[in-house]
Amino acid sequence: IRKNALDTDPLYGIFTSGSTGDPKCVVVCHRSVIDFINVFTETFGITDKDVIGNQAPFDFDVSVKDIYSCIKTGATLIIIPKEYFMFPNNVCDMLDDNNVTTLIWAVSALCLLNRLHGLKYKAPHAINKIMFSGEMMPVKQLNAWRSYYKDAMFVNLYGPTEITCNCTYYIIDREYSDDEKLPMGNAFLNEHVFLLDDDNSEITDKNIPGEVCVSGTALALGYYNNKEATAKAFVQNPLNDNFNELIYKTGDLAYYNDEGMFVFSGRKDFQIKHMGHRIELEEVDIAIGSICGIDRVCTFFDEAKNKMVSFYVGGIDKAELIAELKTKVPDFMVPNLFMQIDEMPLTKNGKIDRNTLKEIYRGGRK
């Protein structure tokens, strides 16, 4: 078997979260992981002295960075039992007792630990690297973590499963206010990340959104036993008519900021037309999330009833929330319905479960 092995052979098949549609099995080869982990560990200085606290289940691609960073460098992997996250004090004790230095976690896990006051109980002493991905990190939650770890390196990671974990990163180098957006940053070495408009022309000017596209060794082999989905997402680079060059079209929107970094601008399928205006639902969530008393928020659009619906976790009442939001955004960006819940439902991979929220909404639709 080893004699006939190729570095382009599949290493694993891992399912997407299904947060934006039906889950699909992404097939990733050995070469992609070897290439990415070499760059990842060097970029963030992961060595055999590090202890990585694993939060992500092994069928979620965040765990790829935990597992293979340890195999590459000789770092130690501490697997935190899933049930511990129901009792944040247990998580903090485990991180502290095992001298964990590095967290590569889903955004929701970091938010949960902070919201349930785990860090107030104990801020594990050895942590010096905190990386997060999967969703937009609310700056309010980031700032809470930074208040406990003033000298730690915080990194915003971006990338879908189809490009082997991540394609851009931003090492946070300044203070951000609650209503600011964190940049996605710049591409990892050996990954080409660029923006295309609806006509497949490249966008290079600042502040103009386009679809995030990626090429390079990091690309997955495609979706297992799903030729139609593979052909739709993994396509010939429209900027290159000289030779075969596959790119992955992520379905995410971004733009270049004044520093030339990518900034996430939402999903193409989360962009809506409401009251005659084009609205990015993520922009609504950022504005709501910056309000004092809001812990998490998720907004979606009921197309049939032409309503924006926001679910939120926090102690603020709806009237106060609406009044505060109107000072931040125009009226057409204020959701038609707010629904307060105790906890934000999460997918198995730790992302906000939009499908469950829609079921809750349909059950009590107004």
Side-chain angles (χ1 to χ4, degrees):
I1 292 172
R2 183 165 292 175
K3 179 181 177 181
N4 293 317
L6 302 174
D7 64 355
T8 52
D9 288 340
L11 172 62
Y12 60 76
I14 198 162
F15 277 84
T16 61
S17 65
S19 58
T20 59
D22 292 330
K24 297 181 287 291
C25 183
V26 180
V27 182
V28 175
C29 73
H30 292 259
R31 178 188 292 179
S32 295
V33 172
I34 291 168
D35 181 75
F36 175 72
I37 291 298
N38 281 344
V39 172
F40 184 81
T41 53
E42 184 173 339
T43 300
F44 304 120
I46 297 173
T47 71
D48 59 353
K49 304 294 190 298
D50 279 301
V51 180
I52 299 175
N54 164 254
Q55 168 268 321
F58 282 6
D59 54 357
F60 181 24
D61 74 337
V62 171
S63 69
V64 169
K65 291 168 282 191
D66 294 340
I67 298 166
Y68 293 99
S69 290
C70 289
I71 291 174
K72 165 67 180 176
T73 66
T76 300
L77 187 64
I78 299 297
I79 301 172
I80 305 166
K82 182 179 178 180
E83 57 270 19
Y84 273 33
F85 283 89
M86 298 172 63
F87 308 98
N89 291 4
N90 290 352
V91 176
C92 291
D93 282 336
M94 189 169 188
L95 296 175
D96 200 46
D97 293 346
N98 287 281
N99 299 312
V100 168
T101 64
T102 306
L103 305 182
I104 311 169
W105 283 14
V107 165
S108 291
L110 290 171
C111 292
L112 183 69
L113 199 66
N114 177 57
R115 202 177 74 75
L116 297 183
H117 309 299
L119 296 177
K120 287 184 179 179
Y121 161 71
K122 179 187 292 183
H125 73 281
I127 292 174
N128 56 43
K129 291 182 283 293
I130 300 170
M131 310 180 202
F132 45 86
S133 61
E135 297 172 291
M136 284 195 303
M137 167 63 88
V139 175
K140 187 187 302 179
Q141 299 289 341
L142 170 66
N143 287 339
W145 273 86
R146 293 186 80 188
S147 70
Y148 289 96
Y149 294 101
K150 298 185 185 302
D151 297 323
M153 176 173 62
F154 285 82
V155 185
N156 186 23
L157 299 167
Y158 163 81
T161 305
E162 289 86 344
I163 53 80
T164 313
C165 299
N166 302 120
C167 56
T168 70
Y169 70 97
Y170 171 54
I171 299 174
I172 294 161
D173 57 1
R174 68 172 178 86
E175 298 296 322
Y176 280 81
S177 62
D178 290 350
D179 55 358
E180 282 189 281
K181 262 188 176 183
L182 293 178
M184 293 158 52
N186 299 111
F188 279 98
L189 287 174
N190 204 35
E191 297 195 52
H192 180 45
V193 183
F194 57 102
L195 304 179
L196 292 179
D197 64 17
D198 291 338
D199 296 322
N200 280 330
S201 296
E202 186 173 11
I203 296 171
T204 56
D205 292 337
K206 297 172 184 176
N207 302 312
I208 299 175
E211 183 172 9
V212 179
C213 299
V214 187
S215 65
T217 305
L219 261 61
L221 300 177
Y223 301 115
Y224 183 76
N225 197 26
N226 194 335
K227 292 181 180 179
E228 184 177 349
T230 299
K232 185 177 178 181
F234 295 85
V235 301
Q236 170 66 23
N237 186 351
L239 307 177
N240 178 5
D241 57 7
N242 296 313
F243 54 87
N244 289 340
E245 181 192 6
L246 281 184
I247 66 171
Y248 174 67
K249 302 186 79 170
T250 66
D252 290 332
L253 298 171
Y255 59 87
Y256 295 105
N257 66 9
D258 290 340
E259 289 76 43
M261 292 188 289
F262 294 101
V263 180
F264 186 73
S265 184
R267 290 280 306 169
K268 289 182 76 173
D269 44 9
F270 291 171
Q271 196 179 54
I272 67 167
K273 190 76 174 289
H274 183 55
M275 297 175 64
H277 298 273
R278 183 69 66 184
I279 300 172
E280 303 283 357
L281 293 176
E282 282 82 0
E283 300 287 351
V284 178
D285 285 347
I286 288 172
I288 296 173
S290 69
I291 295 172
C292 184
I294 296 291
D295 292 320
R296 297 300 305 274
V297 61
C298 181
T299 303
F300 62 85
F301 187 57
D302 180 351
E303 196 166 352
K305 291 188 173 290
N306 196 33
K307 283 185 175 182
M308 281 196 294
V309 181
S310 281
F311 280 83
Y312 72 94
V313 177
I316 189 171
D317 66 48
K318 297 176 188 178
E320 186 181 353
L321 169 54
I322 293 170
E324 180 68 19
L325 184 59
K326 285 186 174 182
T327 68
K328 296 176 176 290
V329 298
D331 286 348
F332 65 81
M333 288 182 68
V334 177
N336 307 95
L337 180 64
F338 289 89
M339 303 185 77
Q340 188 176 21
I341 52 178
D342 294 331
E343 294 289 345
M344 198 64 73
L346 303 177
T347 66
K348 184 175 182 291
N349 293 347
K351 295 182 180 181
I352 292 176
D353 191 338
R354 290 175 173 268
N355 292 329
T356 296
L357 290 178
K358 289 176 182 178
E359 289 297 325
I360 296 170
Y361 163 66
R362 283 192 283 266
R365 182 180 297 183
K366 298 180 180 179

